[in-house]
Amino acid sequence: MANISIPQLWGGDLPATLDFYRTLGYTVTREMTRPYTYGEVQRDGFELHFGPTPKDLSAEQAYISCLVKVDELAAWHAEFSTALRARYGRVPARGLPRITRFRPGQTRFTVVDPVGNSVIYLQHTIPKLKYGGAQDLSGLPRALDNARNYREFKNDDPTATRILETALRRHAPTATPADQARALAILAEIAAAAGNSNRATELITEINTLNLTPADRAEIATELQTVTDLQHWLHS
């Protein structure tokens, strides 16, 4: 028999927690309430277990996470989004429970359950990251590389925003219009994710004032499509 490792998360209101995982396509294989609460779910060859939750522990304090490596990550995100929208009438992107957004090419997303447990779904093969930006880059391109790492691999929008806003103040006079547009497009996507559609519109308007070549505009149009796709994901 092969050695295995199984993460144990907080159970919280165990029936509600297990029902949430049923929504995501898991099968409940154990639901025990005496002499203590314990639950197990399975899906696609892996298991999650849920033990007793300490008394007076809020969801904000109950942060535990585990990693699940999968193939076809985009398909998992799409399936979960569809299931959660059917259950809640919308995709829960903030609060508890929630699922983080997903961009083409991204290598991870996170589902946070009603208890506050985070299950991070990862593509099997992920690139090595250079926080601070790739060493062979400088100025705004390096900030863009660094910000993408925080946005797409760490789900850390505030840090990505701070990096880009600082870099635009410092490097906009010497940066190419295309790099400025890329930075603004990322900021627009982050603003849309936060529900700040007015800010997203302002940033897109700023992009339209830049002196971009037709090829640049075609590339940025692809970036801006992610903003439209995100708003559809959030509100459809």
Side-chain angles (χ1 to χ4, degrees):
M1 180 179 293
N3 296 325
I4 60 173
S5 176
I6 300 174
Q8 181 175 298
L9 310 175
W10 300 132
D13 179 349
L14 187 62
T17 300
L18 297 180
D19 191 50
F20 175 79
Y21 283 91
R22 285 190 186 95
T23 297
L24 299 181
Y26 286 80
T27 298
V28 174
T29 55
R30 180 185 296 187
E31 184 172 357
M32 184 175 77
T33 58
R34 294 182 180 180
Y36 54 88
T37 60
Y38 202 87
E40 300 174 12
V41 297
Q42 294 183 357
R43 177 174 173 160
D44 293 88
F46 63 87
E47 302 177 22
L48 301 175
H49 288 206
F50 303 89
T53 305
K55 293 181 179 179
D56 302 322
L57 188 71
S58 70
E60 290 75 17
Q61 298 169 316
Y63 180 82
I64 300 180
S65 67
C66 71
L67 306 178
V68 177
K69 288 192 172 184
V70 300
D71 293 318
E72 304 298 335
L73 187 67
W76 282 73
H77 188 270
E79 178 187 337
F80 287 174
S81 296
T82 298
L84 292 170
R85 184 181 290 111
R87 174 165 180 167
Y88 297 104
R90 60 177 177 81
V91 174
R94 288 180 286 277
L96 293 176
R98 66 181 180 273
I99 181 173
T100 59
R101 67 196 189 279
F102 185 84
R103 289 168 47 86
Q106 206 165 302
T107 61
R108 70 189 65 195
F109 68 89
T110 302
V111 174
V112 184
D113 69 19
V115 188
N117 300 307
S118 292
V119 182
I120 303 169
Y121 295 85
L122 295 170
Q123 192 75 33
H124 271 293
T125 303
I126 59 176
K128 293 183 179 180
L129 306 181
K130 287 287 187 181
Y131 289 108
Q135 298 300 309
D136 59 339
L137 300 174
S138 61
L140 188 52
R142 185 169 179 176
L144 280 163
D145 186 65
N146 192 24
R148 287 193 184 98
N149 289 339
Y150 279 96
R151 179 184 62 160
E152 298 181 11
F153 301 106
K154 296 281 287 182
N155 291 323
D156 189 346
D157 288 342
T159 299
T161 298
R162 185 167 61 252
I163 289 168
L164 290 176
E165 289 180 342
T166 299
L168 283 168
R169 287 194 298 269
R170 291 179 178 175
H171 303 297
T174 57
T176 66
D179 282 337
Q180 293 179 61
R182 293 183 187 101
L184 294 169
I186 291 174
L187 290 171
E189 196 264 354
I190 291 173
N196 192 345
S197 58
N198 289 338
R199 178 59 177 157
T201 299
E202 290 173 0
L203 291 161
I204 293 170
T205 299
E206 189 173 349
I207 290 171
N208 291 332
T209 68
L210 295 172
N211 186 23
L212 299 171
T213 68
D216 291 338
R217 292 197 178 279
E219 178 186 341
I220 299 305
T222 300
E223 288 286 330
L224 293 180
Q225 183 61 44
T226 66
V227 179
T228 301
D229 293 343
L230 172 60
Q231 291 171 327
H232 177 76
W233 179 73
L234 287 169
H235 302 299
S236 64

